[in-house]
Amino acid sequence: MALESLKDGLRNAVEKVTKASHVDKELIKDISKDIQRAMIEADIEVQLALELTEKIKERGIEEKPPSGMSAREHLIRIIHEEFVKILGDGVELELKPQTIMMVGLYGQGKTTTCGKLAAYFQKRGLNTALIAGDTHRPAAYDQLSQVAEDAGVPVYGDPDEEKAPRIVREGMEKFEDYDVVIIDTAGRHSLEEELIREIQLIKNVADPDEVILTVDASIGQQAGPQAKAFHDAVNVTKTIITKMDGSAKGGGALSAVAETDAPVAFIGNGERIRDLEEFDPKGFTSRLLGMGDIEKLLEKAEEAIDEDKAEETAKKMLAGDFDLKDMYEQMEMLTGVGPLQKIVDMLPMGPSSISEEEIMNTQEKLDEFRIIMDSMTEYEMENPNKIKGDRIKRIAMGSGRRPKDIRKLISHYKKTKKAIQGFSGNRKMRKQLKKQLESGNLNF
Ligand SMILES: Nc1nc2c(ncn2[C@@H]2O[C@H](COP(=O)(O)OP(=O)(O)OP(=O)(O)O)[C@@H](O)[C@H]2O)c(=O)[nH]1
Ligand SMILES: [Mg+2]
């Protein structure tokens, strides 16, 4: 993940809280300062950093932890909540037929992101096409064609035509029957009159549902004014922050854009077609603060919900019903170290406890598996044994992974299933668990 320094700074602060013998004013002031420093280093606006840490101090000192939650857990929860607040509520691109127009200054990642978005929609079953509306940059058409090929979608353009609106009009006609049409446009060094005029003309022709601005994370909090200026000029609906992989200033870009009317929908974290991530402020903050730790600490409050889930999974395990969806769910719970940890403890071949490292590994695997599973059909999720030959090839293509990676997932599934069968084949344990399930008192 990008933002290494912010992450390190925040994790150190959180660790200080978890290690402290008790929570007092001194500790709260101390960690507020640490958080402030980490935020300013990530180019988050000073005023915003001050306000956030002031709020943490105020709430930390004044609020009493709800019953069942320790002061430490409560303080971490406050930090988490306040961070999520500054990153906004999160917005999504709907999975529906639509026209999308990309805008942005020179080199901010428009063309690359066109390809990433095309692959995103295509993979989710929407027929997608690209239009090369950049007639300024030499070879812009060739670059978009390459990107389209990587994404496996068609492209329309004319390298000899100078009038971008004409190309867009022709492209819109050609791709009339497509679900999603994405239009690449030209950039400039700054948001000058000429650029505004050009994108307004294209906008009139295309009548897009979404106008998406791409902004390079390395400009830090400057991304805020840029998003606002574009929004005022052409009504930008969403922003995508690119190059989050290479920048220490991404925190500044994210928090500054979150405040505008063109909130962040995705972040780009690499040059490849699959390096696009939906921006979810809650999940993002959890990872920033060290999700495994946080979840563990916040577990108490959410235990009731977890227990319901654990019970359902345990029942399914006993019935011998265990498909890819269950495996995924189970892994997801493991990263939260919910009560399922106790089921794993009971497994004859399972680890007696789950180490920090294993939780991290699980999270990594989970991310990888999620990407692969997104390219599977419902039938394949429910019948993993049918995933062979051509299916493997198709899933690999769809997810941008190698067939080897798909086989790895299947092999992991088979191992897990075998372990569970061993577990439910163990009569003593089976009886014990069944008794608990029947009494409705799954007392892990
Ligand atoms: N590391 C990294 N590089 C990126 C990302 N997005 C784009 N790039 C790179 O940034 C450079 C510029 O990207 P383009 O997509 O050509 O940008 P553009 O906005 O279309 O540029 P113009 O058409 O010249 O205005 C290319 O070298 C891309 O590979 C990203 O998320 N991470
Ligand atoms: Mg371009």
Side-chain angles (χ1 to χ4, degrees):
M1 184 188 191
L3 302 171
E4 289 308 322
S5 71
L6 179 62
K7 191 172 80 182
D8 289 348
L10 293 179
R11 286 190 184 187
N12 285 342
V14 167
E15 210 174 295
K16 244 187 215 175
V17 178
T18 57
K19 283 187 178 154
S21 56
H22 62 286
V23 173
D24 58 12
K25 256 189 197 174
E26 281 316 303
L27 176 76
I28 295 174
K29 277 188 191 157
D30 191 28
I31 60 134
S32 292
K33 234 181 229 136
D34 290 350
I35 293 174
Q36 219 172 75
R37 205 173 307 124
M39 288 174 79
I40 291 167
E41 266 169 29
D43 197 44
I44 293 174
E45 205 199 343
V46 177
Q47 188 59 32
L48 195 59
L50 291 177
E51 275 169 24
L52 177 121
T53 46
E54 203 46 51
K55 192 90 201 186
I56 291 174
K57 249 193 291 189
E58 196 183 294
R59 288 187 59 191
I61 292 168
E62 280 172 15
E63 279 180 27
K64 292 256 166 306
S67 66
M69 196 186 273
S70 72
R72 276 193 219 94
E73 290 162 347
H74 184 52
L75 183 54
I76 291 167
R77 198 190 191 94
I78 291 174
I79 298 171
H80 189 261
E81 278 174 10
E82 292 301 324
F83 254 95
V84 173
K85 261 189 221 161
I86 65 165
L87 292 178
D89 290 332
V91 286
E92 286 181 345
L93 267 184
E94 277 183 81
L95 288 174
K96 59 163 196 197
Q98 57 191 303
T99 303
I100 296 172
M101 176 178 164
M102 305 296 287
V103 298
L105 299 182
Y106 270 139
Q108 304 280 306
K110 292 179 294 299
T111 307
T112 313
T113 310
C114 278
K116 292 179 181 180
L117 280 177
Y120 175 86
F121 284 113
Q122 187 74 21
K123 247 172 51 182
R124 285 160 179 76
L126 288 151
N127 259 335
T128 304
L130 290 170
I131 299 177
D134 176 0
T135 51
H136 284 257
R137 205 156 80 69
Y141 172 71
D142 294 337
Q143 189 197 352
L144 192 71
S145 301
Q146 182 58 54
V147 158
E149 194 184 320
D150 293 345
V153 305
V155 61
Y156 179 78
D158 180 357
D160 298 324
E161 171 64 63
E162 280 178 8
K163 294 195 176 71
R166 171 178 286 177
I167 295 178
V168 173
R169 178 173 299 117
E170 288 167 3
M172 294 294 294
E173 277 166 22
K174 186 172 155 75
F175 294 134
E176 207 178 14
D177 294 334
Y178 278 74
D179 299 321
V180 178
V181 176
I182 302 170
I183 304 164
D184 188 22
T185 64
R188 297 290 191 284
H189 281 301
S190 62
L191 185 59
E192 55 207 53
E193 257 320 296
E194 196 201 340
L195 174 60
I196 296 177
R197 231 184 350 261
E198 180 173 295
I199 48 187
Q200 275 172 345
L201 276 175
I202 296 179
K203 201 180 154 191
N204 283 342
V205 172
D207 190 22
D209 303 280
E210 301 273 1
V211 178
I212 299 183
L213 171 72
T214 60
V215 178
D216 181 335
S218 64
I219 69 169
Q221 51 182 281
Q222 278 311 308
Q226 201 177 104
K228 191 176 175 313
F230 267 93
H231 178 73
D232 292 345
V234 285
N235 246 321
V236 166
T237 53
K238 309 234 159 47
T239 302
I240 297 182
I241 299 189
T242 63
K243 309 185 199 181
M244 281 293 283
D245 49 313
S247 173
K249 290 185 166 186
L254 275 173
S255 53
V257 173
E259 285 205 327
T260 71
D261 291 327
V264 183
F266 287 92
I267 53 183
N269 43 23
E271 294 187 77
R272 293 163 309 180
I273 207 97
R274 63 167 190 257
D275 297 329
L276 184 75
E277 191 186 309
E278 286 168 34
F279 178 62
D280 149 41
K282 243 186 180 153
F284 186 83
T285 308
S286 294
R287 272 188 292 156
L288 213 54
L289 296 174
M291 170 166 157
D293 308 337
I294 277 284
E295 290 281 307
K296 232 189 295 180
L297 286 156
L298 299 183
E299 179 200 335
K300 268 195 187 162
E302 276 139 28
E303 205 156 62
I305 306 164
D306 273 354
E307 246 168 39
D308 283 353
K309 252 194 181 176
E311 195 169 324
E312 209 181 287
T313 310
K315 270 183 187 158
K316 268 193 152 171
M317 281 177 177
L318 282 179
D321 258 341
F322 189 77
D323 61 17
L324 279 176
K325 283 186 210 157
D326 296 316
M327 178 178 87
Y328 186 83
E329 210 167 75
Q330 188 204 9
M331 287 173 71
E332 209 170 28
M333 286 167 75
L334 285 183
T335 62
V337 205
L340 197 69
Q341 154 101 52
K342 283 142 190 163
I343 295 185
V344 175
D345 283 350
M346 289 166 81
L347 285 174
M349 60 291 287
S352 58
S353 75
I354 306 171
S355 70
E356 201 70 20
E357 200 189 349
E358 279 165 322
I359 292 166
M360 289 306 288
N361 283 344
T362 306
Q363 184 59 47
E364 263 174 39
K365 254 194 215 146
L366 204 59
D367 291 340
E368 173 78 11
F369 286 2
R370 180 185 295 133
I371 292 167
I372 296 176
M373 286 179 185
D374 274 344
S375 287
M376 289 183 182
T377 61
E378 196 73 10
Y379 174 79
E380 287 161 346
M381 295 282 283
E382 286 168 8
N383 301 281
N385 293 333
K386 295 280 168 14
I387 303 177
K388 288 176 189 145
D390 280 346
R391 286 187 190 272
I392 291 190
K393 266 193 225 149
R394 199 210 71 239
I395 296 166
M397 284 272 281
S399 59
R401 295 294 190 270
R402 294 162 304 179
K404 207 169 88 184
D405 300 320
I406 318 302
R407 280 194 284 271
K408 240 195 240 163
L409 184 154
I410 305 291
S411 141
H412 183 89
Y413 161 74
K414 283 186 178 153
K415 266 191 230 152
T416 313
K417 184 164 178 165
K418 213 166 154 193
I420 285 164
Q421 275 165 352
F423 164 53
S424 46
N426 183 322
R427 282 186 57 210
K428 194 170 149 229
M429 270 189 257
R430 192 185 170 131
K431 253 169 96 178
Q432 193 183 333
L433 193 60
K434 209 168 177 178
K435 220 167 85 191
Q436 283 180 329
L437 282 172
E438 275 163 2
S439 67
N441 176 22
L442 192 61
N443 188 19
F444 289 123

